[in-house]
Amino acid sequence: DWARADIAIAMAKAGMFERSLDMMRSIDDDDSRNFALGDIAIAMAEAGIVERALETARYIEDHDFRVFAIASILAIDGRFEQAIDAARGIDLYVPRRLAFEYILIGLAEDGMVERALETARGIEDDFERNFALGDIATGLAEAGMVER
């Protein structure tokens, strides 16, 4: 099932959303299906199909993976405050970490460095906060603001 999930994700990243959703429906394993559906929804948002992405993410059965996808989509769409609120409701480390990665890189790329730093400082876990600071640096570098 993981191989089919990878194929479905690759199709979505290539813009073949309907085919990727069809492939995803053939995945029996819940974890593989949730993972694929989240990445498909995020690919839709990255392609500018944000409302469809949010609608797709709502079909993810696992709470943490669903909220990860929604927070990431909101961040991609520039709705950072909503994304931060959503991400704080994620219990599992990995999906929470990945959601904050989208948020912090997006904030930094958009030049909202102080908001990104404030968000990172609000992360209680030292390990997770260190990753968050790295995400801000990544966002600044991707935006060509290396001197900051």
Side-chain angles (χ1 to χ4, degrees):
D1 279 351
W2 284 106
R4 280 188 271 177
D6 287 341
I7 293 167
I9 292 164
M11 282 192 260
K13 289 181 179 181
M16 299 185 295
F17 301 117
E18 294 309 317
R19 289 188 67 194
S20 67
L21 289 170
D22 288 343
M23 171 71 75
M24 185 274 312
R25 288 181 189 99
S26 72
I27 298 171
D28 295 324
D29 178 67
D30 291 342
D31 290 338
S32 301
R33 190 175 52 254
N34 286 326
F35 180 80
L37 198 50
D39 275 7
I40 291 167
I42 290 168
M44 288 175 174
E46 289 172 338
I49 311 168
V50 175
E51 292 311 313
R52 175 83 193 277
L54 288 168
E55 177 185 319
T56 300
R58 288 185 177 95
Y59 287 100
I60 299 171
E61 295 169 2
D62 179 86
H63 171 266
D64 285 336
F65 281 98
R66 181 177 55 253
V67 177
F68 150 70
I70 291 169
S72 300
I73 292 163
L74 291 169
I76 289 166
D77 195 42
R79 295 188 256 176
F80 298 113
E81 296 308 317
Q82 288 177 282
I84 292 166
D85 288 344
R88 287 185 176 142
I90 301 171
D91 294 323
L92 292 176
Y93 170 76
V94 171
R96 184 179 59 246
R97 159 85 192 94
L98 293 173
F100 274 108
E101 180 178 338
Y102 275 97
I103 294 164
L104 295 169
I105 289 174
L107 283 167
E109 286 177 341
D110 284 3
M112 301 193 303
V113 180
E114 289 308 315
R115 181 63 179 118
L117 289 169
E118 177 186 330
T119 301
R121 286 184 201 116
I123 297 172
E124 293 179 19
D125 182 80
D126 290 339
F127 186 72
E128 193 172 348
R129 189 173 45 257
N130 287 335
F131 269 112
L133 293 170
D135 294 335
I136 295 168
T138 298
L140 289 171
E142 289 177 358
M145 295 185 274
V146 180
E147 67 280 353
R148 287 199 74 177

